[in-house]
Amino acid sequence: MPRWTNNAEKRLRNAAAELFEAHGYEAVTVTAIAERAGLTRRTFFRYFPDKREVLFPQTDEIGEAVAQAINIQPKDADAGVLVGEIITVLVRAGTVITSDRQAQRKRQTLIQSSPELRERSRTKLATTAATIESALTTRGEPDAQIIAAVAVDLLRTAYQATLEGDDNASFAEHVKRARTALRSFDSYSRLPAPVSDP
Amino acid sequence: MPRWTNNAEKRLRNAAAELFEAHGYEAVTVTAIAERAGLTRRTFFRYFPDKREVLFPQTDEIGEAVAQAINIQPKDADAGVLVGEIITVLVRAGTVITSDRQAQRKRQTLIQSSPELRERSRTKLATTAATIESALTTRGEPDAQIIAAVAVDLLRTAYQATLEGDDNASFAEHVKRARTALRSFDSYSRLPAPVSDP
């Protein structure tokens, strides 16, 4: 039964991807997706709350996986260690997700084609950031909000760069590159200090 | 005429703030806002495309001010200099916006009370990031996306911290603190390297 269950979800996602590609996101109904997958509308709604959600299968899991990695760290782990764990989980997830670049490129094109999909994408990433922030706050990390926000930026930036880059660099390499770019925020402290006198 | 024009916009915003506080965001109509301001619905829609927008008066301007600051930098300015300029503009804008903490706290409570306002807030910040990213990309900055995303995170984090903090620290101090927290993303490179072997 669980096997069939997972299979149903996958069939629905594949059917949706094929129909979206053929007809565009707006024109495809949940009924059409279910029919193509050989399932019912009722089954569709057992797996996805709405049509949009079929395009965001893993996003919630990423936030939860990161939160879990934070929770199991020793109590005295500092922000550097926690960030290291966060990045490790993000790189693992991003590497799996971007392993099929062609499918992900189609997904990205679809999301960009629809305001409601762009909105859902932003909401999903905001939820991921909130999940990570909550796990960090529970540990008493004072910089929970900015760390969680930047972690999700790294995920999003590396995801897009992996799909759009023409050099076949890996997801992990794009994360590393984006992390290095963060240094420019710190180097600013060497300039005269307009921050203290705006 | 321009003086009267600006005054109308301000009257509409004040009327909206008062009505939202008294009755909640959902219950207040554009007609009611216009009436309270002594103006017509038509005048309202000359300044704001919809009811939500009345709560986001400055957001677009911030992105444009940052883009302008980037555009006027010398061609050989490196990422550190550009980031310095971005932070300077953000601190200036954030300091002005948070000068009336009580009004901004009410605004934040309202935004959190409504899914459609939370959505608009995310869209606004995404637009700000896109404006900054575009200005950086035009200069050939390869890390435009992550720099723009993190700049907007600094704005949002410092804004919330300034309103929620009980120590009366300034917006500039909160930006500085959040920038310092970014170091933990770099310190991770001193750990064993799981990034290259996810």
Side-chain angles (χ1 to χ4, degrees):
Chain A
M1 181 70 173
R3 192 168 180 83
W4 180 85
T5 300
N6 291 331
N7 192 31
E9 187 179 339
K10 198 174 173 186
R11 274 157 63 196
L12 287 164
R13 274 200 264 123
N14 289 343
E18 288 162 15
L19 289 171
F20 291 159
E21 194 183 356
H23 309 291
Y25 172 77
E26 305 290 348
V28 176
T29 63
V30 166
T31 304
I33 296 169
E35 270 177 17
R36 189 182 184 99
L39 297 163
T40 62
R41 267 174 68 87
R42 200 165 153 243
T43 304
F44 181 94
F45 287 116
R46 205 184 302 150
Y47 294 104
F48 308 105
D50 57 35
K51 190 175 76 167
R52 289 192 267 185
E53 202 70 17
V54 77
L55 283 161
F56 300 92
Q58 292 125 327
T59 322
D60 295 338
E61 289 168 29
I62 295 175
E64 282 151 28
V66 172
Q68 203 174 4
I70 293 169
N71 292 341
I72 61 172
Q73 291 310 303
K75 283 207 169 142
D76 61 349
D78 66 12
V81 169
L82 296 178
V83 167
E85 292 299 316
I86 293 169
I87 293 175
T88 302
V89 176
L90 292 181
V91 165
R92 198 175 291 138
T95 302
V96 172
I97 292 169
T98 57
S99 62
D100 185 347
R101 292 191 191 198
Q102 207 188 344
Q104 292 297 321
R105 281 190 193 115
K106 283 180 188 163
R107 174 177 177 271
Q108 273 297 84
T109 304
L110 260 175
I111 290 174
Q112 290 309 317
S113 77
S114 154
E116 70 172 48
L117 286 175
R118 293 201 297 273
E119 180 207 319
R120 178 61 57 93
S121 176
R122 278 193 295 268
T123 304
K124 282 282 177 187
L125 290 172
T127 304
T128 304
T131 303
I132 299 172
E133 183 184 338
S134 172
L136 289 168
T137 301
T138 302
R139 295 184 63 95
E141 171 53 51
D143 298 312
Q145 190 182 18
I146 187 75
I147 290 173
V150 173
V152 171
D153 290 337
L154 290 176
L155 176 67
R156 186 168 55 85
T157 304
Y159 174 77
Q160 288 187 16
T162 308
L163 300 184
E164 291 162 16
D166 48 10
D167 58 353
N168 263 352
S170 69
F171 183 87
E173 285 161 340
H174 284 296
V175 168
K176 195 172 181 184
R177 171 168 196 157
R179 280 172 52 218
T180 305
L182 296 181
R183 282 181 204 162
S184 55
F185 284 90
D186 203 31
S187 69
Y188 174 55
S189 61
R190 292 195 296 267
L191 297 174
V195 162
S196 59
D197 180 24
Chain B
M1 180 69 171
R3 192 170 182 80
W4 180 85
T5 301
N6 290 331
N7 192 32
E9 188 180 337
K10 198 175 174 185
R11 274 158 61 197
L12 287 164
R13 275 200 264 124
N14 289 344
E18 288 161 15
L19 289 171
F20 291 159
E21 194 184 355
H23 309 291
Y25 172 77
E26 305 291 349
V28 176
T29 63
V30 166
T31 305
I33 296 169
E35 271 177 17
R36 188 181 185 99
L39 297 163
T40 62
R41 268 174 66 87
R42 198 164 156 243
T43 304
F44 181 95
F45 288 115
R46 206 186 302 150
Y47 294 104
F48 309 104
D50 56 36
K51 191 175 76 168
R52 289 193 266 186
E53 203 69 17
V54 77
L55 283 161
F56 300 92
Q58 292 124 328
T59 322
D60 295 340
E61 289 168 28
I62 295 175
E64 282 152 27
V66 172
Q68 204 176 3
I70 292 169
N71 292 341
I72 61 172
Q73 293 309 305
K75 283 211 167 137
D76 60 351
D78 66 13
V81 170
L82 296 178
V83 167
E85 291 300 317
I86 293 170
I87 293 175
T88 302
V89 176
L90 292 182
V91 166
R92 198 174 292 136
T95 302
V96 171
I97 291 169
T98 57
S99 61
D100 186 346
R101 292 190 192 196
Q102 206 189 344
Q104 291 297 321
R105 283 191 192 114
K106 284 181 189 165
R107 174 178 178 270
Q108 274 296 86
T109 304
L110 260 175
I111 290 173
Q112 289 309 316
S113 76
S114 155
E116 71 173 49
L117 286 175
R118 292 201 298 273
E119 180 206 320
R120 179 62 57 91
S121 176
R122 280 193 294 269
T123 305
K124 281 285 175 184
L125 290 171
T127 304
T128 304
T131 303
I132 298 172
E133 182 184 339
S134 172
L136 290 167
T137 302
T138 302
R139 295 183 65 96
E141 170 53 51
D143 298 313
Q145 190 183 15
I146 187 75
I147 290 173
V150 173
V152 171
D153 289 335
L154 290 176
L155 176 68
R156 186 168 53 85
T157 304
Y159 173 77
Q160 289 186 17
T162 308
L163 300 184
E164 292 162 15
D166 48 9
D167 59 351
N168 264 351
S170 69
F171 183 87
E173 285 160 341
H174 284 296
V175 168
K176 194 171 183 187
R177 169 168 198 158
R179 282 173 51 218
T180 305
L182 296 180
R183 283 181 202 160
S184 55
F185 285 90
D186 202 32
S187 69
Y188 174 56
S189 61
R190 292 196 296 267
L191 297 174
V195 162
S196 59
D197 180 23

